[in-house]
Amino acid sequence: MLARSPHAALRRLFDEVGAVDAVGIEERVAKYGTRSIKKAAKLWGLKLAASMVDLTTLEGKDTPGKVASLCQKALCPHDPELGVPQVAAVCVYPAMVKHARKALGSDTAVRIASVATAFPSGQAPLKTRLAEVKAAVGDGADEIDMVINRGAFLSGEFGVMQDEIRAVVAACGDATLKVILEVSELETYDNIRAASFLAMRVIREGDFIKTSTGKTSLNATLGNNQVMIEAIRDYYLDTGVSIAMKPAGGIRTAKQALTFLVAIKETLGDAWLNNARYRFGASALLNDLIRQIAKERSGAYQAPYYFSEATESY
Amino acid sequence: MPTLTAKKISTRPSRPAPELIFGDLWEFDPAPETADPKLKARYDLFINGQFVAPKSGKYFDSINPANEQKLAEIAQASAADVDVAYQAAKAAYDNVWGKMPGRERAKYLFRIARLLQDRAREFAVAETLDGGKPIKESRDFDVPMAAAHFFYHAGWADKLDYVAPGRRVAPLGVVGQVIPWNFPLLMLAWKLAPALAMGNTVVLKPAETTSITCLKLAEILQDAGLPPGVVNFVTGAGDVGAAVMNHPIPAKIAFTGSTEVGKIIMRSLAGTDKKMTLELGGKAANIVFDDAPLNQAVEGIVNGIFFNQGHVCCAGSRLLVHEPVAEQVLTKLKNRIKVLRVGDPLDKNTDIGAINSKEQLAKITSLVASGVKEGAVLFQPSGRLPTKGFYFRPTIFSGVSMSHRIAREEIFGPVLSILTFRTVDEAIEKANNTAYGLSAGVWTDKGSRILKMSTELKAGVVWANTYNKFDPTSPFGGYKESGFGREGGRQGLLDYCKLI
């Protein structure tokens, strides 16, 4: 009889989806950092990164006023003359969705993403979590960022974890779903790869997997990103279903963002170099991107206070 | 390994096989390294601490393989010059270096290492111009590793009483060394550092096509105040190498290069009392089992064969893949090599630079043609190559069998031959079925299998779940026709001394 322990369940899952060598992953991603991106290529990359930002505020002290100013920043990140594109989305708590909708209006390309499902812990009854998703969608959210049940994953109850994701998919309706794995709580690259596959098998083409909530010690790293985009690639080549990716938290500088984009270019290719397939969950990043874009034009760096501050970093 | 989806839906609408697009949506702008290599128009021989003109008065051109332009003129040594160099080395050994306490020799080695670090960018650019390797490799690997070898052996120089427990060691005297063109500066460091630390003096010949960084290092030796004659460099082609090998003075000959030349050297030295170490060719097997972390294995395979355009004696040129994952590994490899950037070696984004010489390019081209003729399936990514210079696309052959020439002969280029196996025993048998035995790689999640493989593979180095890892503390060398003797570590030092 097969062993029934959580460990044995994980072991069988690893055998099925393949393992990850931590040293190898870190060597691979170190090479992305040595790519030298200059001139036109740099400007193109910076603008692309800006268009991929999910401008985020997720704090207990968020107010309708704060969300409104975040939305203004999303619509017009800087002096239009500089040519900085609008960001992909704003990302707020469910209670703030209706305020964001009011600030953005209905005729806008900027999407509203809302973290739901008892973010960030997910430790609420499933019924409550689904109700939260439905409420956010009802208030006008275009995208839902859910957290997986890490407890279920770590105790080997993959069916429970997948059933919950399926239920959220159903609750989303037409809204895009982003499944947050919370990689720092999964701890190993093997677990991250396995959890990515479990999630991808129950979400729809165009839905996302996402690294983290931004609420724990370790968030998106190049290594986590690489494990997940390799999982996306392997799943795509196997099934033809394209899953999108969102690293979140910890990406603060333009240089970091470009390195993440190099990883996409060399792992998933051109089809993922757009904001339907790749996003950055970040807030401080946007101003650094704008600052670098301004520098490419003028040749000199401007002081940080030249750029409007609508968010605090997370 | 099973497929990656849990359950395939049988009624899935048929669509074309998914493909990834690695196009030019985000093309990188050129990013050339701009440091000045500080080349001289003409390089003389370095004998007895001085740059001296060759007796013949003749010079030959050193060209940049990336664009076929002349870089500098290099002195053409003759047997008479080699003799002068050996006399200088003998005098330096008898009067200065052989008698000097180890702790004093260490100071010179530390100085050389630091001066090399100070001028690292300059040396990296010179190495890339002269040899064609990508700047990111000369910058991140060749030059730092060369400095690391000097540092490591400097540390040994005052501790030689402990290198052979229970025994005392003494230097051999004068040693003659000949090095190849694939890692000009690094091979120089591998040869010089242990010889000098042990108290020997040296006459060394760099490869004909890559003499520049060697002669630039001579400037560092002068700046370090190394006593005249301790190190002498003679430049030229094979005839100079023969003169270095056959001179009566050296007590030891160290050679790194092809097996063909190694055999000639062994024949010519038979019957003499010269000590010898030879580091020769290889046809390493990189063995991937079905439980390996495949994405990282693919990265290791790419590292193993395309590092330095495959001009690596320990290159993982034969890939042995477990049958259940062969198809998957091939697909992953193809997608990986599509994003390798071939082109100007000085560009910081170049992954594969120029082939070292026209002759080498011709050799690679003819072996690849033989692979196609013998029925192996060739894959090369598309993409433009520079019009001038010597370039070759990364190449993988699938459907290779053990009798193919591309599975037996050392190609020394960016060409990978893929074979499959079914059982562990078959993998070992195929891996060992070669005249060479320099290195091997094993990729598996199972620790016990790594241990079994590493004892049964007849190779000097076996890498597990990685490839092409080097360290000054780790001995490197071969089995069978890949040579004998070790370089690096305590074992490497012992090859430069006599035990008393």
Side-chain angles (χ1 to χ4, degrees), chain A residues 11 15-17 19-21 24-25 27-28 31 35-36 38-41 44-45 193 197 201 230 233-234 236-240 258 261-262 265-270 273, chain B residues 1-6 8 12 15 18-29 31 136 139 293 295-296 299 303 332 335-336 339 341 348-349 351 445 465-466 469:
Chain A
R11 194 63 245 173
D15 281 349
E16 193 190 330
V17 302
V20 180
D21 185 79
I25 275 285
E27 265 179 28
R28 176 72 188 103
K31 290 182 193 163
R35 289 293 189 217
S36 178
K38 304 279 185 211
K39 299 178 193 154
W44 195 88
R193 180 173 169 88
F197 271 96
R201 285 170 184 168
E230 283 179 0
R233 180 191 60 191
D234 294 348
Y236 170 73
L237 289 176
D238 203 36
T239 65
L258 288 179
L261 289 181
V262 170
K265 175 179 161 67
E266 299 194 357
T267 306
L268 284 166
D270 294 359
L273 284 175
Chain B
M1 193 159 74
T3 54
L4 295 167
T5 38
K8 290 226 169 156
R12 207 172 68 194
R15 47 172 145 181
E19 289 254 8
L20 298 168
I21 308 157
F22 295 107
D24 52 6
L25 181 61
W26 186 23
E27 199 37 69
F28 296 157
D29 284 57
K136 72 170 187 191
R139 177 194 67 198
N295 287 320
Q296 288 73 54
E299 201 53 36
N303 230 348
K332 284 173 187 288
N335 277 323
R336 181 67 183 89
V339 296
R341 305 171 66 89
K348 288 182 236 172
N349 291 325
D351 296 312
D445 223 19
N465 291 329
T466 189
K469 285 283 171 300

XYZ file of all heavy atoms in Angstrom, chain A residues 11 15-17 19-21 24-25 27-28 31 35-36 38-41 44-45 193 197 201 230 233-234 236-240 258 261-262 265-270 273, chain B residues 1-6 8 12 15 18-29 31 136 139 293 295-296 299 303 332 335-336 339 341 348-349 351 445 465-466 469:
682
model
N 5.916 13.880 -2.439
C 6.935 13.135 -3.185
C 6.368 12.662 -4.533
O 7.003 12.782 -5.570
C 7.353 11.957 -2.300
C 8.607 11.203 -2.653
C 9.829 12.041 -2.574
N 10.369 12.160 -3.918
C 11.380 12.938 -4.271
N 11.982 13.696 -3.387
N 11.801 12.976 -5.490
N 7.472 13.763 -8.313
C 7.818 12.796 -9.353
C 7.053 13.104 -10.629
O 7.552 12.913 -11.734
C 7.497 11.375 -8.896
C 8.572 10.843 -7.964
O 9.627 11.504 -7.862
O 8.366 9.799 -7.338
N 5.841 13.582 -10.444
C 4.998 13.816 -11.599
C 5.407 15.086 -12.348
O 5.499 15.084 -13.576
C 3.562 13.925 -11.110
C 2.544 13.871 -12.203
C 1.169 14.223 -11.661
O 0.894 13.963 -10.472
O 0.395 14.791 -12.428
N 5.634 16.171 -11.633
C 5.904 17.444 -12.325
C 7.388 17.740 -12.436
O 7.790 18.678 -13.115
C 5.189 18.639 -11.648
C 3.701 18.408 -11.604
C 5.748 18.927 -10.274
N 11.446 17.866 -10.419
C 12.031 18.579 -9.289
C 12.772 19.827 -9.777
O 12.925 20.045 -10.973
C 12.982 17.661 -8.544
N 13.201 20.627 -8.832
C 13.967 21.834 -9.140
C 15.277 21.764 -8.364
O 15.283 21.417 -7.192
C 13.201 23.103 -8.704
C 14.005 24.349 -9.034
C 11.840 23.161 -9.364
N 16.370 22.079 -9.042
C 17.647 22.139 -8.355
C 17.926 23.591 -7.974
O 18.052 24.456 -8.841
C 18.754 21.607 -9.269
C 20.083 21.532 -8.547
O 20.280 20.573 -7.793
O 20.905 22.445 -8.722
N 21.070 25.251 -9.364
C 20.946 25.481 -10.804
C 20.069 26.678 -11.121
O 20.371 27.474 -12.006
N 18.959 26.803 -10.395
C 18.056 27.939 -10.623
C 18.800 29.240 -10.333
O 18.732 30.204 -11.094
C 16.817 27.826 -9.702
C 15.760 26.948 -10.354
C 16.227 29.191 -9.393
C 15.005 27.600 -11.487
N 21.969 29.850 -10.384
C 22.975 30.126 -11.416
C 22.322 30.700 -12.657
O 22.835 31.618 -13.285
C 23.680 28.836 -11.809
C 24.954 28.623 -11.064
C 25.609 27.321 -11.466
O 25.414 26.859 -12.606
O 26.307 26.756 -10.618
N 21.181 30.114 -13.021
C 20.500 30.591 -14.231
C 20.113 32.055 -14.088
O 20.345 32.856 -14.982
C 19.245 29.742 -14.489
C 18.417 30.221 -15.685
C 19.128 29.913 -16.995
N 18.506 30.499 -18.187
C 18.952 31.578 -18.820
N 19.994 32.237 -18.352
N 18.373 32.020 -19.912
N 22.623 34.929 -14.435
C 23.007 35.353 -15.786
C 22.120 36.480 -16.305
O 22.562 37.283 -17.114
C 22.944 34.167 -16.752
C 24.027 33.136 -16.491
C 23.928 32.026 -17.504
C 24.789 30.840 -17.078
N 24.430 29.629 -17.802
N 23.022 40.788 -18.206
C 22.619 41.373 -19.486
C 22.725 42.893 -19.391
O 22.299 43.500 -18.413
C 21.174 40.990 -19.822
C 20.994 39.533 -20.195
C 21.687 39.206 -21.499
N 21.355 37.878 -21.994
C 22.224 37.081 -22.614
N 23.474 37.452 -22.764
N 21.848 35.926 -23.073
N 23.304 43.476 -20.420
C 23.533 44.908 -20.419
C 22.540 45.550 -21.388
O 22.627 45.339 -22.589
C 24.980 45.161 -20.853
O 25.241 46.516 -20.912
N 20.874 48.765 -23.017
C 21.246 50.161 -23.250
C 20.279 50.843 -24.211
O 19.576 50.189 -24.970
C 22.647 50.225 -23.888
C 23.736 49.533 -23.098
C 24.220 50.406 -21.980
C 25.386 49.781 -21.260
N 25.425 50.150 -19.864
N 20.309 52.165 -24.165
C 19.681 53.034 -25.173
C 18.231 52.666 -25.479
O 17.406 52.570 -24.592
C 20.538 53.024 -26.449
C 21.937 53.556 -26.181
C 22.779 53.497 -27.438
C 24.238 53.726 -27.095
N 25.141 53.122 -28.037
N 17.947 52.445 -26.779
C 16.557 52.220 -27.201
C 15.972 50.988 -26.512
O 14.810 50.985 -26.102
C 16.496 52.058 -28.712
N 16.787 49.955 -26.362
C 16.301 48.730 -25.723
C 15.915 49.011 -24.274
O 14.930 48.485 -23.756
C 17.372 47.645 -25.782
N 12.609 51.043 -24.203
C 11.485 50.168 -24.538
C 11.135 49.292 -23.328
O 9.972 49.129 -22.967
C 11.858 49.303 -25.744
C 10.699 48.639 -26.402
C 9.921 49.160 -27.388
C 10.173 47.337 -26.117
N 8.942 48.265 -27.727
C 9.064 47.139 -26.972
C 10.516 46.321 -25.222
C 8.310 45.963 -26.964
C 9.764 45.159 -25.207
C 8.667 44.985 -26.071
N 12.185 48.744 -22.688
C 11.967 47.884 -21.524
C 11.341 48.638 -20.362
O 10.439 48.135 -19.681
N 7.212 24.892 -7.548
C 6.892 24.313 -8.856
C 5.635 23.438 -8.765
O 4.730 23.533 -9.605
C 8.071 23.476 -9.371
C 7.795 22.841 -10.729
C 9.046 22.156 -11.296
N 8.720 21.342 -12.453
C 8.690 21.788 -13.710
N 8.969 23.042 -13.969
N 8.383 20.986 -14.709
N 1.849 24.007 -10.641
C 1.127 23.060 -11.501
C -0.275 22.795 -10.974
O -1.245 22.752 -11.737
C 1.904 21.747 -11.643
C 2.869 21.782 -12.783
C 4.198 22.094 -12.574
C 2.432 21.559 -14.078
C 5.087 22.163 -13.630
C 3.311 21.632 -15.146
C 4.640 21.931 -14.920
N -3.597 23.797 -13.369
C -4.502 22.780 -13.908
C -5.970 23.127 -13.686
O -6.835 22.503 -14.282
C -4.192 21.428 -13.260
C -2.930 20.814 -13.809
C -2.521 19.615 -12.996
N -1.259 19.074 -13.447
C -0.557 18.170 -12.786
N -1.009 17.725 -11.626
N 0.575 17.730 -13.263
N 9.161 28.838 -15.565
C 9.502 27.552 -16.185
C 8.315 26.594 -16.091
O 8.043 25.814 -17.011
C 10.758 26.947 -15.541
C 12.024 27.622 -16.036
C 13.306 27.082 -15.418
O 13.233 26.157 -14.583
O 14.384 27.600 -15.763
N 5.954 27.657 -18.743
C 6.441 27.226 -20.051
C 6.181 25.727 -20.267
O 5.664 25.313 -21.307
C 7.939 27.505 -20.166
C 8.535 27.077 -21.493
C 10.042 27.114 -21.470
N 10.559 26.218 -20.433
C 11.817 26.200 -20.045
N 12.680 27.038 -20.556
N 12.221 25.353 -19.115
N 6.535 24.929 -19.256
C 6.372 23.482 -19.400
C 4.894 23.134 -19.579
O 4.536 22.257 -20.367
C 6.958 22.754 -18.182
C 8.471 22.931 -18.096
O 9.065 23.405 -19.087
O 9.054 22.618 -17.041
N 2.575 25.125 -20.790
C 2.141 25.613 -22.105
C 2.561 24.639 -23.203
O 1.770 24.282 -24.079
C 2.732 27.003 -22.372
C 2.544 27.486 -23.783
C 1.290 27.886 -24.226
C 3.604 27.530 -24.681
C 1.098 28.308 -25.540
C 3.427 27.946 -25.986
C 2.173 28.342 -26.408
O 1.983 28.757 -27.696
N 3.803 24.187 -23.159
C 4.279 23.288 -24.214
C 3.544 21.957 -24.161
O 3.399 21.265 -25.163
C 5.796 23.068 -24.083
C 6.658 24.283 -24.440
C 8.129 24.000 -24.199
C 6.442 24.704 -25.893
N 3.050 21.604 -22.971
C 2.350 20.342 -22.816
C 0.879 20.437 -23.209
O 0.318 19.492 -23.755
C 2.481 19.890 -21.359
C 2.291 18.396 -21.231
O 2.727 17.685 -22.145
O 1.698 17.955 -20.232
N 0.252 21.584 -22.931
C -1.200 21.674 -23.113
C -1.622 22.758 -24.096
O -2.764 22.761 -24.534
C -1.889 22.035 -21.785
O -1.454 23.358 -21.410
C -1.534 21.068 -20.680
N -0.747 23.693 -24.399
C -1.124 24.814 -25.256
C -1.864 25.917 -24.526
O -2.283 26.894 -25.131
N 13.860 45.351 -15.167
C 14.430 44.963 -16.460
C 14.994 43.548 -16.396
O 14.864 42.774 -17.345
C 15.526 45.951 -16.882
C 15.049 47.339 -17.317
C 16.241 48.222 -17.674
C 14.103 47.257 -18.502
N 12.294 41.143 -16.721
C 11.811 41.080 -18.103
C 12.768 40.277 -18.993
O 12.330 39.582 -19.911
C 11.619 42.491 -18.673
C 10.437 43.270 -18.103
C 10.338 44.648 -18.762
C 9.137 42.508 -18.302
N 14.070 40.380 -18.707
C 15.032 39.561 -19.451
C 14.714 38.082 -19.223
O 14.746 37.264 -20.144
C 16.482 39.882 -19.033
C 17.446 38.871 -19.636
C 16.882 41.289 -19.466
N 11.849 37.247 -21.446
C 12.277 37.206 -22.853
C 12.988 35.894 -23.176
O 12.770 35.310 -24.223
C 13.207 38.390 -23.147
C 13.825 38.403 -24.548
C 14.696 39.636 -24.739
C 15.687 39.497 -25.878
N 15.091 39.425 -27.210
N 13.835 35.427 -22.239
C 14.658 34.265 -22.546
C 14.029 32.942 -22.110
O 14.547 31.881 -22.438
C 16.050 34.434 -21.910
C 16.755 35.656 -22.472
C 18.230 35.728 -22.162
O 18.737 34.849 -21.455
O 18.870 36.684 -22.629
N 12.938 33.000 -21.346
C 12.319 31.752 -20.916
C 10.987 31.507 -21.632
O 10.736 30.408 -22.118
C 12.090 31.764 -19.395
O 13.326 32.053 -18.750
C 11.588 30.410 -18.914
N 10.131 32.532 -21.661
C 8.809 32.354 -22.254
C 8.703 32.985 -23.641
O 7.811 32.649 -24.416
C 7.748 32.962 -21.333
C 7.430 32.122 -20.095
C 6.641 32.935 -19.085
C 6.647 30.877 -20.472
N 9.590 33.907 -23.936
C 9.609 34.475 -25.281
C 8.702 35.677 -25.442
O 8.061 36.148 -24.500
N 8.609 36.141 -26.677
C 7.944 37.407 -26.987
C 6.467 37.432 -26.612
O 5.921 38.483 -26.294
C 8.090 37.709 -28.484
C 9.540 37.974 -28.865
O 10.388 37.943 -27.952
O 9.815 38.212 -30.049
N 5.692 39.092 -23.369
C 6.183 40.445 -23.089
C 5.069 41.475 -23.285
O 5.169 42.386 -24.107
C 7.381 40.770 -24.001
C 8.710 40.107 -23.623
C 9.773 40.406 -24.673
C 9.204 40.577 -22.259
N 9.484 9.788 -17.107
C 8.599 10.648 -16.325
C 7.279 10.827 -17.067
O 7.259 11.012 -18.263
C 9.270 12.004 -16.135
C 8.590 12.828 -15.106
S 9.680 14.094 -14.464
C 9.710 15.220 -15.776
N 6.169 10.809 -16.336
C 4.866 10.985 -17.005
C 4.744 12.400 -17.550
O 5.539 13.270 -17.222
C 3.853 10.756 -15.887
C 4.624 10.397 -14.669
C 6.048 10.692 -14.907
N 3.726 12.617 -18.329
C 3.503 13.967 -18.842
C 3.078 14.877 -17.705
O 2.722 14.425 -16.626
C 2.402 13.969 -19.917
O 1.263 13.363 -19.344
C 2.843 13.232 -21.150
N 3.100 16.158 -17.989
C 2.944 17.117 -16.899
C 1.486 17.401 -16.547
O 1.195 17.971 -15.526
C 3.643 18.413 -17.289
C 5.145 18.220 -17.432
C 5.761 19.423 -18.112
C 5.781 18.011 -16.083
N 0.573 17.015 -17.393
C -0.827 17.258 -17.047
C -1.383 16.049 -16.333
O -1.006 14.914 -16.608
C -1.666 17.482 -18.312
O -1.191 16.591 -19.311
C -1.542 18.900 -18.795
N -2.314 16.292 -15.430
C -2.855 15.195 -14.637
C -3.666 14.272 -15.539
O -3.404 13.087 -15.641
C -3.717 15.737 -13.528
N -5.408 14.076 -19.411
C -5.601 14.726 -20.703
C -7.053 14.591 -21.110
O -7.633 13.514 -21.004
C -4.684 14.088 -21.747
C -3.237 14.420 -21.511
C -2.555 14.827 -22.807
C -1.198 15.401 -22.476
N -0.258 15.310 -23.560
N -9.967 17.131 -26.619
C -9.327 18.438 -26.799
C -9.301 18.793 -28.275
O -8.890 17.982 -29.105
C -7.900 18.375 -26.256
C -7.376 19.717 -25.791
C -6.052 19.551 -25.091
N -5.009 19.129 -26.032
C -3.842 18.653 -25.636
N -3.588 18.502 -24.369
N -2.936 18.308 -26.515
N -5.067 21.518 -32.051
C -4.447 22.767 -32.466
C -2.969 22.508 -32.705
O -2.442 21.498 -32.259
C -4.686 23.881 -31.451
C -4.437 23.532 -29.996
C -4.540 24.819 -29.184
N -5.112 24.625 -27.867
C -5.309 25.617 -27.008
N -5.011 26.848 -27.345
N -5.807 25.382 -25.811
N 2.150 23.687 -29.472
C 2.523 25.005 -28.936
C 3.997 25.299 -29.175
O 4.839 24.411 -29.019
C 2.239 24.869 -27.447
C 1.432 23.642 -27.278
C 1.713 22.761 -28.429
N 4.272 26.512 -29.557
C 5.666 26.915 -29.787
C 5.925 28.207 -29.042
O 5.037 29.045 -28.928
C 5.883 27.190 -31.286
C 5.871 25.952 -32.148
C 7.253 25.573 -32.620
O 8.235 26.191 -32.158
O 7.344 24.667 -33.465
N 7.128 28.367 -28.579
C 7.502 29.644 -27.976
C 8.124 30.515 -29.056
O 8.762 30.011 -29.983
C 8.513 29.411 -26.849
C 7.993 28.554 -25.694
C 9.141 28.144 -24.788
C 6.939 29.298 -24.894
N 7.917 31.819 -28.934
C 8.451 32.736 -29.955
C 9.640 33.490 -29.370
O 9.478 34.290 -28.443
C 7.379 33.761 -30.372
C 6.085 33.039 -30.768
C 7.877 34.647 -31.505
C 4.871 33.921 -30.659
N 10.812 33.205 -29.879
C 11.972 33.973 -29.437
C 12.392 34.885 -30.584
O 13.310 34.589 -31.336
C 13.094 33.043 -28.991
C 12.739 32.238 -27.779
C 12.462 30.884 -27.875
C 12.647 32.849 -26.541
C 12.117 30.142 -26.753
C 12.300 32.116 -25.413
C 12.031 30.760 -25.526
N 11.669 35.974 -30.747
C 11.913 36.869 -31.870
C 12.636 38.129 -31.450
O 13.374 38.138 -30.474
N 12.384 39.193 -32.204
C 13.124 40.426 -31.954
C 12.221 41.528 -31.416
O 12.455 42.699 -31.641
C 13.842 40.879 -33.220
C 12.884 40.954 -34.407
O 11.669 40.762 -34.175
O 13.338 41.196 -35.525
N 11.143 41.140 -30.715
C 10.256 42.137 -30.132
C 11.042 43.114 -29.257
O 10.816 44.311 -29.265
C 9.173 41.431 -29.305
C 8.138 42.333 -28.645
C 7.362 43.118 -29.682
C 7.185 41.517 -27.779
N 11.952 42.574 -28.474
C 12.777 43.414 -27.591
C 14.231 43.101 -27.911
O 14.850 42.287 -27.258
C 12.446 43.121 -26.125
C 13.136 44.026 -25.152
C 13.633 45.269 -25.376
C 13.391 43.756 -23.762
N 14.166 45.788 -24.230
C 14.030 44.883 -23.219
C 13.121 42.665 -22.931
C 14.415 44.953 -21.880
C 13.505 42.729 -21.599
C 14.144 43.875 -21.082
N 14.732 43.720 -28.970
C 16.121 43.455 -29.357
C 17.048 44.339 -28.530
O 16.779 45.513 -28.331
C 16.270 43.737 -30.863
C 17.475 43.103 -31.517
C 17.815 41.710 -30.988
O 17.069 40.739 -31.225
O 18.854 41.603 -30.309
N 18.133 43.762 -28.031
C 19.065 44.549 -27.214
C 19.979 45.391 -28.111
O 20.436 44.917 -29.157
C 19.941 43.633 -26.351
C 19.171 42.840 -25.324
C 19.701 41.666 -24.811
C 17.929 43.263 -24.872
C 18.998 40.932 -23.867
C 17.219 42.532 -23.933
C 17.758 41.357 -23.430
N 20.250 46.610 -27.683
C 21.225 47.433 -28.416
C 22.636 46.907 -28.136
O 22.868 46.257 -27.130
C 21.132 48.882 -27.944
C 19.922 49.574 -28.516
O 18.799 49.067 -28.291
O 20.074 50.596 -29.177
N 26.184 46.543 -26.709
C 26.720 46.976 -25.419
C 28.188 46.571 -25.334
O 28.564 45.675 -24.600
C 25.912 46.334 -24.282
N 31.998 38.475 -21.407
C 31.460 38.133 -20.086
C 32.200 36.937 -19.493
O 32.332 36.834 -18.289
C 29.956 37.903 -20.144
C 29.511 36.655 -20.812
C 28.021 36.440 -20.565
C 27.611 35.084 -21.098
N 26.175 34.895 -21.136
N 35.801 38.237 -18.491
C 35.653 39.138 -17.348
C 35.257 38.393 -16.069
O 35.784 38.654 -14.999
C 34.577 40.171 -17.704
C 34.222 41.159 -16.626
C 32.921 41.868 -16.987
N 31.802 40.939 -16.959
C 30.635 41.161 -17.548
N 30.419 42.247 -18.248
N 29.667 40.275 -17.458
N 16.378 17.119 -12.198
C 15.671 18.389 -12.399
C 15.962 18.871 -13.819
O 17.021 19.441 -14.085
C 16.286 19.321 -11.353
C 17.537 18.666 -10.889
C 17.501 17.228 -11.255
N 14.967 21.117 -16.102
C 15.252 22.482 -16.543
C 16.669 22.905 -16.176
O 17.347 23.581 -16.938
C 14.231 23.465 -15.963
C 12.875 23.323 -16.633
O 12.799 23.131 -17.842
N 11.814 23.401 -15.850
N 17.101 22.498 -14.990
C 18.465 22.850 -14.575
C 19.484 21.977 -15.298
O 20.596 22.415 -15.582
C 18.617 22.731 -13.056
C 17.903 23.824 -12.287
C 16.392 23.651 -12.294
O 15.876 22.606 -11.927
N 15.675 24.670 -12.717
N 20.185 23.587 -18.509
C 21.095 24.709 -18.289
C 22.532 24.203 -18.168
O 23.469 24.788 -18.727
C 20.674 25.430 -17.000
C 21.151 26.841 -16.874
C 20.794 27.696 -18.068
O 19.707 27.518 -18.638
O 21.629 28.525 -18.437
N 25.726 24.953 -20.543
C 26.981 25.395 -19.937
C 28.131 24.484 -20.322
O 29.241 24.918 -20.583
C 26.821 25.287 -18.422
C 27.224 26.538 -17.747
O 27.824 27.411 -18.376
N 26.906 26.638 -16.483
N 13.477 21.059 -24.797
C 13.954 22.105 -23.891
C 15.289 22.680 -24.388
O 15.515 23.888 -24.335
C 14.131 21.542 -22.476
C 12.822 21.353 -21.721
C 13.076 20.643 -20.400
C 11.790 20.277 -19.686
N 11.090 21.434 -19.118
N 14.742 25.046 -27.318
C 14.246 26.349 -26.877
C 15.323 27.150 -26.160
O 15.347 28.372 -26.229
C 13.031 26.172 -25.954
C 11.755 25.982 -26.751
O 11.584 26.595 -27.797
N 10.880 25.137 -26.268
N 16.205 26.451 -25.477
C 17.252 27.169 -24.750
C 18.285 27.757 -25.714
O 18.708 28.903 -25.541
C 17.932 26.226 -23.751
C 19.027 26.873 -22.920
C 18.477 27.919 -21.979
N 19.539 28.580 -21.224
C 20.175 29.668 -21.653
N 19.874 30.228 -22.790
N 21.132 30.213 -20.907
N 17.876 31.167 -27.628
C 18.125 32.484 -27.028
C 19.609 32.736 -26.765
O 19.969 33.749 -26.187
C 17.326 32.710 -25.719
C 15.845 32.722 -26.007
C 17.651 31.688 -24.656
N 23.060 34.127 -27.713
C 23.401 35.220 -28.626
C 24.803 34.995 -29.175
O 25.776 34.994 -28.450
C 23.313 36.554 -27.881
C 21.950 36.760 -27.222
C 21.960 37.960 -26.315
N 22.143 39.187 -27.063
C 21.144 39.894 -27.570
N 19.912 39.518 -27.395
N 21.387 41.000 -28.247
N 28.786 42.814 -24.319
C 28.581 42.204 -22.998
C 27.431 41.206 -22.985
O 27.297 40.428 -22.054
C 28.321 43.297 -21.959
C 29.586 44.095 -21.639
C 29.311 45.137 -20.591
C 29.694 46.506 -21.092
N 29.292 47.582 -20.212
N 26.578 41.245 -24.013
C 25.454 40.306 -24.056
C 25.736 39.071 -24.899
O 24.864 38.224 -25.058
C 24.209 41.006 -24.606
C 23.690 42.030 -23.620
O 23.764 41.834 -22.417
N 23.186 43.137 -24.137
N 26.775 35.481 -25.875
C 26.945 34.197 -25.176
C 27.961 33.315 -25.872
O 28.668 32.543 -25.243
C 25.611 33.446 -25.128
C 24.571 34.196 -24.324
O 24.902 34.636 -23.210
O 23.436 34.354 -24.812
N 18.295 13.033 -9.207
C 17.888 13.466 -7.873
C 18.331 12.459 -6.817
O 18.174 12.684 -5.633
C 16.356 13.595 -7.851
C 15.900 14.860 -7.136
O 16.731 15.773 -6.998
O 14.739 14.921 -6.717
N 25.033 17.080 -10.912
C 24.012 18.134 -10.991
C 24.604 19.517 -11.216
O 24.070 20.528 -10.768
C 23.118 18.129 -9.749
C 22.231 16.902 -9.712
O 21.844 16.379 -10.756
N 21.937 16.421 -8.526
N 25.738 19.559 -11.867
C 26.342 20.822 -12.293
C 27.361 20.470 -13.367
O 27.547 19.289 -13.671
C 26.982 21.565 -11.109
O 27.370 22.871 -11.539
C 28.206 20.833 -10.594
N 32.635 23.315 -13.330
C 32.951 24.077 -12.126
C 34.442 23.890 -11.826
O 34.933 22.762 -11.835
C 32.138 23.557 -10.932
C 30.701 23.965 -10.970
C 30.550 25.416 -10.546
C 29.141 25.918 -10.779
N 28.731 25.847 -12.198
